[in-house]
Amino acid sequence: MRYVVVTGGVLSGLGKGVTASSMGVLLKSAGLRVTSIKIDPYLNVDAGTMSPFEHGEVFVLDDGGEVDLDLGNYERFLDVALTRDNNITTGKVYAAVVERERRGDYLGKTVQVIPHITNEIQEWIERVAHVPSDGDNGSPDVCVIELGGTVGDIESAPFVEALRQFQFRVGRENICFVHVSLVPVMGPVGEQKTKPTQHTVKELRGLGIIPDILVCRSAKPLQDETRAKLAAFCHVSEEAVVSAHDVSNIYRVPMMLEEQGVSGVLSGLFGFELPSERPLLDDWKAMADRVDNPAEEVHIATVGKYTGLSDSYLSVIKALQHSSYAVGRKLVIDWIESADLDDQTASADPEVHAAAWELLKGADGILVPGGFGIRGIEGKIKAAEYARKNDVPYLGVCLGLQVATIEFCRNVLDMEGANSTEFDEDTAHPAVVFMPEISKTHMGGTMRLGTKPTPFLVDDCKMRRLYGGADHVDERHRHRYEVNPELIEQIEEAGLKYVGKDETGQRCEIMELDGHPFFVGTQYHPEFKSRPGRPSPPFLGLLMAACGQEV
Ligand code: GLN
């Protein structure tokens, strides 16, 4: 087993995740089996309780793990399926050590950060690295480990120390340290400045880790003299100083690294042969070109409440993009803050309200993604109503299925004030209700989570066709509420059909409206399994319908 450890310096948000996953792509293109681990040095046990406003979306794995969105990048880049243990947090490590201490496993010893926490981290990494994630049996060959945060932070110190020790545990020849840094440009002549990188490398070396590869984020390609200077001051060979400059889309990053000889550096360090043909890289190049080719636009109005931070909807954006490549259109996402569609919202400014409606009406398709809490609900219900009545393609994901159901109950079945008990506990018409098995006292990890099978209940429908005629789908869930089982019959009789339900046949999973070009909802989150060359079927359906294609 070889390990590629990616750390970062100077500032956060340098794209360590994309760098790390691109290195994974290069290794995979050489025929190696690659898995990955993301380390998040925060005390939350997992990302499930973190606000998308602050931290971006919560990514959901097959096993129900609620993890950092970077795991989504790894799954999409490397086409793997990871487990909750592939995301290590300070909270998880401390919880494990404290539990052992209570069991008496440390035999009377004083339990300390070094060695107990650092040992726990190393054992965790070794254990998870060997778990296959690409669908085949047997151990992977390489594990790419990304350490979140910036080297030098108090938070990440135990992890840096654990990784320092780890090189002796697994052998220096089996580990490659990659440090991602920033090269800013100053002054009118645009001089590339190396000092921040010199400092962060000094810091890293002071902690006992000597980087083998230096990846330098910059606006323009690194100049030769900058590279030479960095090599000299940072004690890295010139060929291992890599420029990660801005490119037109992220699919170009693996090729950008490849063209600078990174595969050669890795094969030299680890001692593996590079095959002469690497078709995976051709696929990446083709994908990057396809993404850049400007074509006709398709506008998807996305009605949500975290629209200020696009990371809050990262997987939804990716799923839309993947589908747009498949239909050959340039995707434009028109973000609409759902509260702006609601004229009852006290703070509503008439101009903002009008602008939001103009955007909605101008779109080729409407998407209502998942969400929690009452804010903006009425606006989402209005968006679903507009789509239903005007034959505009609509995809509702999780909450989006629920609001479409509420709207249908209110306006087609005349159930005045129909609502979800999440938003109105005393509603006369509970269209969406709390699921009986869910905890009301604990928030973390207690939803209906992870991959569950959804059998189709009809022989033919749009969604079944989109899923290639499959008899069931395996998609990922994250919710506490469901369509009220007592109303299903009534709703279906009026034309909104639940064509897929869970194995018990009770719980609504896939919704389709009769006689509408594309009015679809899923209780699960299909976005998490979308891949660049294999777009998520419901999203593809939305894009096809938005382009006027029959689904
Ligand atoms: N808030 C809703 C529920 O808990 C929807 C959740 C979601 O969209 N992920 O059921």
Side-chain angles (χ1 to χ4, degrees):
M1 172 65 68
R2 277 86 165 222
Y3 298 89
V4 176
V5 174
V6 181
T7 53
V10 186
L11 42 87
S12 60
L14 284 177
K16 278 200 302 286
V18 173
T19 304
S21 26
S22 300
M23 296 245 172
V25 170
L26 296 188
L27 292 160
K28 195 176 161 181
S29 76
L32 299 170
R33 294 178 61 194
V34 185
T35 188
S36 83
I37 292 176
K38 169 79 195 292
I39 299 176
D40 283 308
Y42 45 64
L43 275 159
N44 305 60
V45 168
D46 60 36
T49 53
M50 296 169 93
S51 160
F53 275 122
E54 237 178 78
H55 201 74
E57 82 174 0
V58 177
F59 193 79
V60 182
L61 301 171
D62 279 335
D63 67 1
E66 299 173 275
V67 295
D68 190 87
L69 52 81
D70 276 320
L71 282 265
N73 269 332
Y74 291 110
E75 285 206 343
R76 287 185 287 264
F77 264 66
L78 302 175
D79 198 7
V80 291
L82 302 170
T83 70
R84 68 178 76 230
D85 286 350
N86 292 69
N87 193 191
I88 308 180
T89 66
T90 305
K92 277 183 191 168
V93 173
Y94 274 74
V97 169
V98 170
E99 199 190 315
R100 279 192 199 196
E101 186 277 329
R102 292 289 81 186
R103 276 206 310 257
D105 287 3
Y106 297 112
L107 306 172
K109 287 258 188 298
T110 307
V111 182
Q112 294 178 301
V113 174
I114 303 174
H116 300 101
I117 294 291
T118 47
N119 281 350
E120 181 71 33
I121 295 168
Q122 294 178 71
E123 282 157 22
W124 194 308
I125 292 174
E126 267 200 306
R127 184 177 71 243
V128 176
H130 287 86
V131 176
S133 57
D134 57 3
D136 281 340
N137 293 326
S139 179
D141 302 306
V142 188
C143 179
V144 178
I145 304 168
E146 177 192 350
L147 175 62
T150 307
V151 166
D153 296 347
I154 292 179
E155 273 74 14
S156 59
F159 291 105
V160 175
E161 170 59 15
L163 292 165
R164 183 196 66 76
Q165 295 175 18
F166 198 61
Q167 61 190 310
F168 299 103
R169 188 184 183 111
V170 300
R172 187 63 181 92
E173 66 285 7
N174 294 318
I175 195 162
C176 164
F177 289 105
V178 179
H179 194 55
V180 183
S181 176
L182 176 74
V183 175
V185 165
M186 287 293 288
V189 282
E191 190 192 348
Q192 293 182 325
K193 295 301 220 177
T194 61
K195 196 65 80 183
T197 304
Q198 292 181 41
H199 278 292
T200 176
V201 171
K202 199 166 148 193
E203 174 118 43
L204 188 64
R205 289 168 59 90
L207 297 169
I209 292 179
I210 299 173
D212 300 295
I213 298 178
L214 207 53
V215 176
C216 303
R217 282 288 291 123
S218 58
K220 297 268 162 56
L222 278 192
Q223 291 152 7
D224 289 345
E225 51 281 27
T226 315
R227 194 185 297 263
K229 200 165 165 187
L230 282 167
F233 281 96
C234 299
H235 192 71
V236 175
S237 71
E238 242 181 273
E239 52 161 21
V241 178
V242 180
S243 169
H245 43 272
D246 294 350
V247 280
S248 57
N249 67 65
I250 59 167
Y251 304 104
R252 297 219 181 273
V253 178
M255 283 310 289
M256 172 170 65
L257 302 182
E258 172 63 22
E259 281 155 13
Q260 295 177 71
V262 174
S263 297
V265 174
L266 288 168
S267 79
L269 285 168
F270 286 148
F272 64 84
E273 293 278 313
L274 273 182
S276 52
E277 302 271 305
R278 287 190 285 155
L280 183 65
L281 291 181
D282 302 332
D283 295 348
W284 276 79
K285 196 174 175 316
M287 171 62 77
D289 290 342
R290 189 155 1 120
V291 172
D292 272 351
N293 269 339
E296 211 183 320
E297 290 182 347
V298 56
H299 283 251
I300 302 296
T302 303
V303 184
K305 75 164 177 176
Y306 314 114
T307 52
L309 174 68
S310 61
D311 265 5
S312 311
Y313 294 113
L314 188 66
S315 294
V316 164
I317 298 173
K318 295 291 170 194
L320 287 171
Q321 287 173 346
H322 300 161
S323 302
S324 73
Y325 312 149
V327 295
R329 293 276 191 105
K330 186 175 159 61
L331 173 71
V332 182
I333 302 180
D334 293 322
W335 293 103
I336 300 179
E337 189 60 36
S338 50
D340 295 344
L341 293 173
D342 177 14
D343 48 9
Q344 299 302 308
T345 310
S347 60
D349 169 335
E351 272 179 39
V352 171
H353 179 68
W357 273 99
E358 202 182 302
L359 216 48
L360 188 79
K361 289 183 176 168
D364 304 304
I366 296 174
L367 172 71
V368 176
F372 295 84
I374 189 168
R375 195 169 66 77
I377 286 301
E378 293 302 320
K380 292 181 187 180
I381 293 175
K382 290 250 158 52
E385 180 181 3
Y386 176 80
R388 179 178 61 80
K389 289 185 172 161
N390 295 283
D391 281 350
V392 178
Y394 175 90
L395 175 62
V397 171
C398 203
L399 182 64
L401 170 141
Q402 297 175 358
V403 296
T405 301
I406 295 168
E407 188 277 317
F408 195 80
C409 287
R410 284 186 190 175
N411 301 325
V412 178
L413 297 176
D414 291 327
M415 296 178 180
E416 204 186 319
N419 215 329
S420 164
T421 54
E422 181 179 4
F423 316 124
D424 179 3
E425 271 194 67
D426 307 315
T427 171
H429 300 287
V432 176
V433 294
F434 198 75
M435 288 185 288
E437 71 269 32
I438 303 299
S439 167
K440 286 211 167 175
T441 52
H442 281 66
M443 299 299 268
T446 57
M447 287 189 241
R448 181 169 179 252
L449 288 166
T451 294
K452 322 257 177 217
T454 298
F456 278 108
L457 298 173
V458 295
D459 291 336
D460 186 39
C461 63
K462 293 189 179 72
M463 283 285 267
R464 189 159 183 180
R465 289 199 292 274
L466 284 164
Y467 278 99
D471 60 356
H472 79 284
V473 303
D474 291 305
E475 296 273 23
R476 299 177 181 175
H477 296 73
R478 184 173 189 251
H479 65 125
R480 294 194 175 86
Y481 294 81
E482 61 173 325
V483 173
N484 187 350
E486 288 172 17
L487 294 182
I488 294 174
E489 214 182 295
Q490 225 180 319
I491 298 173
E492 292 199 319
E493 271 171 18
L496 188 61
K497 302 277 166 59
Y498 297 98
V499 293
K501 293 191 183 138
D502 75 343
E503 318 97 301
T504 69
Q506 297 289 316
R507 187 158 279 158
C508 295
E509 289 279 5
I510 307 175
M511 164 201 102
E512 272 190 38
L513 179 65
D514 279 350
H516 188 288
F518 191 83
F519 191 86
V520 164
T522 60
Q523 188 57 75
Y524 53 75
H525 289 267
E527 66 271 25
F528 295 132
K529 286 174 76 166
S530 190
R531 296 286 186 268
R534 219 177 330 116
S536 163
F539 283 86
L540 180 61
L542 175 69
L543 266 286
M544 286 167 66
C547 296
Q549 296 175 25
E550 200 174 328
V551 182

